[in-house]
Amino acid sequence: MGGGALQPSLLGLLLLPRCCCTAAGPAGAVWPQPQAQRSPLGGGRCLVPARRFRFAAANGSAVGPGCAVLDAAFQRYWPLLFGCPRPTSPGDNGDPHCLLLIMAVCPMSCSWLPGVLCVQYYINETEIVDFPRFPHRGLLLDTSRHYLPLRAILETLDVMAYNKFNVFHWHIVDDPSFPYESSTFPELSKQGAFNAMTHVYTASDVRTVIEHARLRGIRVIPEFDTPGHTLSWGPGAPGLLTPCYLGATPSGVYGPINPIVNSTYQFVTSLFQEVSSVFPDFFLHLGGDEVDFTCWKSNPEIRAFMREMGFGEDYKKLESFYIQRLLNIVSSLGKGYIVWQEVFDNDVKLRPDTIIHVWKENGMLYLNEMANVTRAGYQALLSAPWYLNRISYGQDWIEAYKVEPLNFPGSPEQKALVMGGEACMWGEYVDVTNLTPRLWPRAGAVAERLWSNETVGNVEDAYARLAEFRCTLLRRGVQAQPLFIGYCDQEFSGA
Amino acid sequence: MGRAMGLVGLLLGIVLVPAVLVSTGLHHGVRRTEAEPEPSSWELAVDAVSEDSLWPLPQWVRTSSRQLQLAPSRFQLVHGAGSSAGPGCGLLQDAFRRYYEYMFGHSWRRVRGRKPLAARGEPELFQLQVVIEAEDPGCDTHPHPTSSEAYHLTVTEPVAILKAYEVWGALRGKIYANFMTFLVNESEINDFPRFAHRGILLDTARHYLPLKSILTNLDAMAFNKFNVLHWHIVDDQSFPYQSIYFPELSDKGAYASNLIYTPADVRLVIEYARLRGIRVIPEFDTPGHTQSWGKGQKDLLTPCYSGRQPAGTFGPVNPIWNTTYDFMAKFFKEISSVFPDAYIHLGGDEVDFSCWKSNPEVKEFMKRQGFGTDYAQLESYYVQNILDIVSSYNKGQMVWQEVFDHKAQLKPDTVVQVWMANNYAHELSSVTGAGLTAVLSAPWYLDYISYGQDWKKYYSVEPLNFLGSEKQKKLVIGGEACLWGEFVDATNLTPRLWPRASAVGERLWSSSNVTNLQDAYKRLVSHRCRMLR
């Protein structure tokens, strides 16, 4: 602890002026590994006088004070570096609690409060040139199997930023519950949430998430998965789901969305109109996975429709019929879309800029799927090997880390169609009690795979850096679990 | 999940047989063969609570549909008439306060302003009276292996009565006060544990656990009627126990100077556990698993050789020097006085012989002792010495199964902990066949996580499902859920352990015929929600 090392990762593209007088010290670990990081030969280290240190726009920067994103980032990063809020006025000695902590650490005189004991911060003379390998580096949270309180989502966004993730894929509704409060169809959450008063996301919650994400350079892509995975929609939208039949009579249970009635498409149009305006990102995730045909098959009206349309017994055609119309609706709203791989597998006609999300692991067959999707000229996102909800004993981050998303047979043009990937934390066994330790630092393995150069792959080196990064997360109050045996200088203190 | 459902769940409480409840004398050490209610009422009881959230399920329950209401401003937990315990019983006073908080928590402050509950139709329950029947209630003692944990609870208008022979039973019964909130059904519970030893192992050596984590875990243990904290306090990786005689051990062997348990910390853990009826059994595992001891105690570990030269590395405790036993005698003297429990766990597992084999002095000693090349004999020689030392301090001993497997001479009251997953039923047969008591852990290594509802696997274990006589089965005194610390620290301890360990808790407390997974799922889900509160 004495003589804290600054985390260079926070400094991004900052180029430090030559200011150094003493020899360079041991460098801290950086996660994810930058594309290029260099300490000049014979370079030294700089004392960083915490009290006077500030972030500022450099000469020649296109933006200056008043840029909300940078101003907010400057404010956030200062305490991340020094462990306490920045003192406000020159005469102010800062948060007394913070000073107390600092005083206990190392016996050196300090420029910030003369005569008392204080930590000194140093940074090695360093130049970092960095850029992401893939533009889409996402994390999926599922708020339908279990409700996640707003603060859990916001905290996840913070940690995503530390890991350079830039897409929050919000799997917001599904069969078990509908926590999204719709202004057009308020009955959906009233009838479909676990608890309509407490287990919902209000319009203001959603805005908070989007703004919190924006300030951290993170896009929010909501997923409203249809026509399957919609049981919770039913109670609040009568007539939307397909009534299943037992013999000649309705059995009282419901299946996927009913694709054969016009009212369905009116509903879907209104709902996605709302969703398109609430969520500013260009893309929506439309789902389209795991449609169970048994209920459709049981329904006589649907069977009649199948005959009428000449679909025969191929219910995939009916699914495509629905999806096709949905895609047209969403296109007409001026949005792009991401869909799960089944939509591609079932030969639905897609716009060329559609992104196909590959999720079926099938051993290593997901690589074939990546090849097929890109050969057809579509962009692809990889999640199959990164279902982090599937836990197992031991250091399973290594498996996630070793994945090479471009390791499939295909031309350079095909490889260029891989936009990136997403780590998925499905919610069957996850709620706010275990989300953070289950997610971090395991998702960090995916983050580095998607950000860093493909040559960065040494597991031992990654272990050392990731273990240290996890200690950094603990210091920032994030409940990240250990990789293996050991300790951090500052352990998690909550219980 | 809201309040409505919470209340409904709680309403389905238990209930009343006014004539029957009068005097059920509870006696020290109720065995599972006694007190078993006739089958018909048992069946009935199980049905009656199947939708309830009782966990672990009591041995015998009756409920009526008649409901009583509780007014937080008037309800009290008090000592009943004829109880040998009174206001001087700090343990019960502390429990009264704790359970009042569990029952009404923050919510009672919210409802205080509302119109009096008496405006409702139900009769009111005013008190929970606790009656301790033993002459000496044991308020200032520590729980021990033969403490009586049986209790009898009747909830009728206007007072509920909780009878127990000793305070430990009262603590177990009072857990169910946690189930009462604003409305409770009239009910009667007659309950006692199936096994006497119901433990959780925490490992504070692979990762340090802050005191707060340990205390939180003790609370969760009490909710699940666990009664033993097996504190695997030191191991190869670190030595966080601050010894009074040998402070160098933690000075050099802890991960960092702040990652230690001071004598005050240890006392706090023991007292916090005692107030919840939980024994604390420390484990100081030797001769293997001791790398961290070597840093602060020179010449304790065996120097390993590479050819004829010391390799600079060290192996298990050196069993051939007298200084080793001088050290251990003094060290365990301290441990015996610091930890009040009647038992100390001495480890004895996974001794790696390769270092001993490399050391010429050890080889020479083997020859002199006539051990040939059987290093298991050397291990037993060491363990025997340690057992003798610890016996001389009047402490009982727990050991891992290898000590038994390697044929050390064990005192008859030694507890052998069976941990190897491979054919553990056979091991239970052997241990009990040799007349020794056994504790089962093999199927309950909760650090081994997997995807899905693995609690079912733990729940479906039947500890007595091995070949052996009735007498042998009686020698199985319980089990322990183990959460080894390779991948666990304060960040993930609680969600990883609970409610998975609750499955083990019910298996060890409730009757052997409580095995329905669907019913258990429903009760366990409510139980988890209650633990979240």
Side-chain angles (χ1 to χ4, degrees):
Chain A
M1 275 287 279
L6 277 183
Q7 295 296 304
S9 60
L10 294 175
L11 298 175
L13 278 163
L14 259 190
L15 190 58
L16 288 161
R18 296 192 69 90
C19 61
C20 307
C21 34
T22 49
V30 189
W31 191 276
Q33 183 89 298
Q35 299 283 345
Q37 174 182 359
R38 166 183 93 80
S39 289
L41 213 61
R45 63 174 186 173
C46 319
L47 180 68
V48 183
R51 181 103 196 294
R52 280 176 289 130
F53 181 85
R54 65 193 180 92
F55 294 99
N59 287 338
S61 166
V63 296
C67 169
V69 171
L70 283 185
D71 289 347
F74 291 169
Q75 270 195 340
R76 273 201 317 277
Y77 283 12
W78 205 93
L80 288 182
L81 291 179
F82 301 110
C84 51
R86 185 164 188 262
T88 42
S89 76
D92 186 351
N93 288 326
D95 175 15
H97 172 69
C98 166
L99 278 181
L100 275 179
L101 280 179
I102 286 166
M103 285 163 62
V105 182
C106 84
M108 267 187 246
S109 82
C110 172
S111 59
W112 151 349
L113 189 63
V116 304
L117 315 177
C118 187
V119 170
Q120 302 237 17
Y121 292 91
Y122 294 93
I123 183 166
N124 287 342
E125 203 180 340
T126 305
E127 181 181 357
I128 291 177
V129 178
D130 205 6
F131 51 87
R133 183 176 173 210
F134 294 103
H136 187 119
R137 303 177 307 281
L139 179 72
L140 177 148
L141 289 186
D142 169 2
T143 56
S144 175
R145 269 67 179 227
H146 285 98
Y147 178 79
L148 293 173
L150 196 62
R151 67 178 169 82
I153 297 177
L154 301 183
E155 194 207 44
T156 303
L157 288 168
D158 290 343
V159 191
M160 283 173 69
Y162 304 152
N163 284 274
K164 294 188 165 63
F165 277 110
N166 67 351
V167 176
F168 170 40
H169 175 168
W170 192 352
H171 189 86
I172 189 166
V173 300
D174 204 301
D175 285 332
S177 78
F178 197 103
Y180 172 77
E181 264 189 9
S182 161
S183 55
T184 321
F185 301 105
E187 288 300 309
L188 287 171
S189 63
K190 274 205 182 112
Q191 313 270 341
F194 284 134
N195 180 317
M197 295 307 296
T198 57
H199 288 45
V200 290
Y201 301 106
T202 64
S204 137
D205 290 344
V206 172
R207 272 198 304 275
T208 304
V209 168
I210 293 169
E211 178 63 5
H212 197 89
R214 185 182 79 88
L215 290 174
R216 285 154 185 80
I218 296 171
R219 303 159 54 200
V220 177
I221 298 182
E223 176 180 355
F224 286 83
D225 191 354
T226 62
H229 289 281
T230 48
L231 284 181
S232 69
W233 303 40
L240 178 67
L241 302 186
T242 310
C244 314
Y245 277 65
L246 203 69
T249 49
S251 66
V253 299
Y254 293 87
I257 280 181
N258 190 336
I260 68 165
V261 290
N262 280 333
S263 58
T264 289
Y265 299 98
Q266 284 157 11
F267 172 88
V268 165
T269 305
S270 306
L271 180 68
F272 278 102
Q273 227 156 22
E274 173 185 331
V275 169
S276 299
S277 76
V278 167
F279 292 90
D281 200 80
F282 176 67
F283 282 96
L284 297 179
H285 202 301
L286 299 178
D289 59 321
E290 299 185 310
V291 184
D292 180 2
F293 296 143
T294 48
C295 182
W296 280 349
K297 285 178 185 168
S298 78
N299 182 304
E301 288 179 45
I302 295 211
R303 285 201 304 261
F305 184 81
M306 293 281 288
R307 274 196 299 277
E308 206 178 299
M309 300 296 289
F311 291 165
E313 284 298 302
D314 188 356
Y315 283 82
K316 280 186 187 174
K317 288 189 173 149
L318 181 59
E319 181 189 352
S320 295
F321 170 82
Y322 168 82
I323 299 262
Q324 210 111 56
R325 292 187 64 171
L326 172 67
L327 298 185
N328 290 339
I329 289 166
V330 173
S331 292
S332 74
L333 296 169
K335 289 283 186 178
Y337 39 77
I338 304 176
V339 291
W340 295 110
Q341 70 177 74
E342 285 97 321
V343 175
F344 167 79
D345 296 343
N346 294 348
D347 296 323
V348 177
K349 199 176 127 221
L350 297 165
R351 250 178 24 189
D353 62 349
T354 304
I355 299 180
I356 310 295
H357 199 161
V358 174
W359 69 276
K360 293 187 173 181
E361 193 162 18
N362 293 341
M364 294 287 273
L365 285 184
Y366 67 86
L367 290 169
N368 291 355
E369 181 79 0
M370 295 292 282
N372 294 341
V373 167
T374 53
R375 192 177 313 111
Y378 295 113
Q379 302 172 83
L381 273 185
L382 183 62
S383 277
W386 290 324
Y387 268 37
L388 299 188
N389 53 305
R390 303 196 69 93
I391 52 170
S392 60
Y393 183 69
Q395 298 202 45
D396 56 359
W397 70 273
I398 295 174
E399 233 176 296
Y401 188 74
K402 282 179 163 169
V403 170
E404 171 45 57
L406 301 188
N407 190 17
F408 59 85
S411 64
E413 291 75 27
Q414 275 176 264
K415 308 275 165 108
L417 287 168
V418 176
M419 306 307 293
E422 291 186 359
C424 298
M425 184 54 76
W426 295 99
E428 283 86 346
Y429 301 101
V430 177
D431 71 2
V432 67
T433 63
N434 56 359
L435 172 72
T436 306
R438 198 162 284 201
L439 198 48
W440 309 110
R442 292 164 75 228
V446 182
E448 175 153 301
R449 182 53 54 238
L450 293 172
W451 177 278
S452 303
N453 196 281
E454 63 174 306
T455 56
V456 178
N458 183 308
V459 171
E460 261 171 82
D461 173 66
Y463 176 85
R465 285 183 299 113
L466 189 53
E468 193 178 325
F469 180 61
R470 184 235 161 199
C471 291
T472 302
L473 293 181
L474 285 190
R475 212 165 46 236
R476 295 172 186 174
V478 179
Q479 201 175 338
Q481 73 179 12
L483 291 179
F484 194 45
I485 294 165
Y487 73 104
C488 296
D489 285 327
Q490 197 173 324
E491 295 277 12
F492 181 73
S493 54
Chain B
M1 288 293 203
R3 241 185 77 228
M5 183 175 156
L7 279 179
V8 173
L10 294 160
L11 302 190
L12 302 166
I14 340 177
V15 182
L16 141 83
V17 187
V20 179
L21 48 107
V22 195
S23 76
T24 312
L26 292 167
H27 301 292
H28 186 87
V30 179
R31 307 308 303 182
R32 56 179 172 277
T33 44
E34 304 165 24
E36 193 113 20
E38 73 247 34
S40 60
S41 63
W42 170 248
E43 297 297 323
L44 186 128
V46 170
D47 286 343
V49 293
S50 62
E51 285 179 18
D52 201 0
S53 55
L54 295 176
W55 190 281
L57 196 65
Q59 301 284 347
W60 186 85
V61 180
R62 284 180 85 154
T63 68
S64 98
S65 56
R66 186 156 185 259
Q67 292 188 333
L68 307 177
Q69 59 170 319
L70 284 72
S73 53
R74 284 191 292 273
F75 185 82
Q76 290 182 314
L77 294 105
V78 296
H79 301 282
S83 174
S84 59
C89 183
L91 182 138
L92 285 182
Q93 296 295 118
D94 186 79
F96 289 166
R97 183 180 57 191
R98 197 164 65 242
Y99 281 92
Y100 186 87
E101 275 293 319
Y102 290 151
M103 290 168 74
F104 306 112
H106 303 296
S107 57
W108 80 272
R109 291 178 198 103
R110 280 210 306 273
V111 299
R112 196 159 50 164
R114 285 209 214 148
K115 68 175 177 175
L117 285 166
R120 304 179 52 126
E122 297 87 1
E124 185 167 340
L125 183 69
F126 289 97
Q127 285 186 333
L128 173 65
Q129 298 184 353
V130 176
V131 179
I132 306 299
E133 297 180 325
E135 218 166 288
D136 176 4
C139 297
D140 300 315
T141 62
H142 287 89
H144 54 87
T146 54
S147 292
S148 166
E149 296 176 288
Y151 66 92
H152 183 239
L153 172 67
T154 55
V155 181
T156 54
E157 184 197 356
V159 295
I161 295 177
L162 174 60
K163 284 189 183 179
Y165 186 73
E166 293 181 319
V167 287
W168 316 116
L171 289 178
R172 301 291 169 251
K174 235 179 290 177
I175 282 292
Y176 289 120
N178 188 18
F179 292 65
M180 304 181 197
T181 49
F182 301 102
L183 279 171
V184 64
N185 287 41
E186 287 196 312
S187 53
E188 180 182 8
I189 292 179
N190 191 15
D191 202 10
F192 51 89
R194 182 177 173 210
F195 293 105
H197 185 115
R198 305 178 306 281
I200 295 281
L201 177 149
L202 291 186
D203 168 3
T204 56
R206 271 60 179 246
H207 286 99
Y208 178 81
L209 293 175
L211 210 54
K212 195 171 158 195
S213 292
I214 297 176
L215 301 185
T216 303
N217 180 62
L218 286 167
D219 280 322
M221 286 173 66
F223 289 141
N224 290 277
K225 291 190 164 62
F226 278 98
N227 67 353
V228 175
L229 171 65
H230 174 166
W231 192 353
H232 188 87
I233 190 165
V234 302
D235 205 301
D236 282 334
Q237 289 80 6
S238 74
F239 198 103
Y241 172 78
Q242 193 174 46
S243 162
I244 302 157
Y245 292 152
F246 303 101
E248 293 281 296
L249 286 169
S250 60
D251 284 353
K252 303 266 172 63
Y255 280 132
S257 57
N258 57 327
L259 303 182
I260 58 170
Y261 302 105
T262 64
D265 292 340
V266 172
R267 274 196 304 275
L268 182 60
V269 168
I270 293 168
E271 178 63 6
Y272 199 89
R274 184 185 81 86
L275 290 174
R276 285 152 185 79
I278 297 170
R279 302 161 53 199
V280 177
I281 301 182
E283 176 181 353
F284 287 89
D285 191 355
T286 65
H289 289 279
T290 48
Q291 289 294 304
S292 69
W293 302 49
K295 295 178 184 157
Q297 186 63 28
K298 292 286 161 264
D299 300 330
L300 177 66
L301 303 186
T302 312
C304 314
Y305 276 67
S306 149
R308 275 202 234 151
Q309 301 299 319
T313 60
F314 295 88
V317 167
N318 193 330
I320 67 167
W321 289 336
N322 286 335
T323 51
T324 294
Y325 300 103
D326 295 342
F327 166 81
M328 289 294 176
K330 203 167 170 196
F331 182 76
F332 278 107
K333 188 173 177 197
E334 170 184 331
I335 299 307
S336 302
S337 78
V338 167
F339 291 90
D341 198 77
Y343 280 78
I344 296 176
H345 201 303
L346 299 175
D349 60 320
E350 300 184 310
V351 183
D352 180 1
F353 296 145
S354 54
C355 182
W356 281 349
K357 285 179 186 168
S358 77
N359 182 304
E361 284 184 55
V362 172
K363 282 191 286 207
E364 174 61 31
F365 184 84
M366 293 281 289
K367 272 203 272 288
R368 245 183 299 146
Q369 295 285 325
F371 293 160
T373 53
D374 183 3
Y375 284 82
Q377 285 189 50
L378 180 60
E379 181 190 347
S380 292
Y381 167 86
Y382 168 83
V383 171
Q384 204 76 58
N385 276 309
I386 298 299
L387 293 176
D388 292 344
I389 288 168
V390 173
S391 296
S392 75
Y393 301 131
N394 290 319
K395 289 285 186 180
Q397 297 128 19
M398 273 185 83
V399 292
W400 296 107
Q401 69 178 72
E402 286 98 319
V403 174
F404 168 79
D405 296 343
H406 294 168
K407 306 194 171 51
Q409 292 295 313
L410 297 172
K411 288 202 315 179
D413 64 346
T414 304
V415 176
V416 178
Q417 188 163 9
V418 174
W419 70 276
M420 292 180 165
N422 181 27
N423 209 355
Y424 64 82
H426 180 258
E427 182 78 4
L428 284 173
S429 292
S430 312
V431 170
T432 55
L436 296 168
T437 39
V439 160
L440 179 63
S441 281
W444 291 321
Y445 267 37
L446 300 195
D447 54 317
Y448 289 121
I449 52 171
S450 59
Y451 186 64
Q453 296 195 44
D454 55 1
W455 70 273
K456 293 180 180 172
K457 195 170 63 183
Y458 308 129
Y459 190 76
S460 302
V461 170
E462 171 44 58
L464 300 189
N465 196 8
F466 63 88
L467 285 176
S469 64
E470 274 308 303
K471 202 173 140 219
Q472 275 177 272
K473 307 269 163 122
K474 286 217 171 79
L475 287 169
V476 177
I477 56 167
E480 289 184 4
C482 300
L483 193 67
W484 295 101
E486 280 86 348
F487 300 99
V488 178
D489 71 1
T491 62
N492 56 0
L493 170 77
T494 303
R496 193 158 289 194
L497 193 50
W498 306 105
R500 293 162 76 227
S502 305
V504 183
E506 176 154 299
R507 179 56 50 242
L508 294 172
W509 178 277
S510 303
S511 169
S512 62
N513 61 6
V514 179
T515 53
N516 184 310
L517 279 174
Q518 274 168 314
D519 173 65
Y521 177 81
K522 276 188 285 187
R523 287 183 295 111
L524 189 50
V525 166
S526 328
H527 187 59
R528 179 186 94 103
C529 290
R530 195 167 39 240
M531 286 199 275
L532 286 182
R533 284 210 308 261

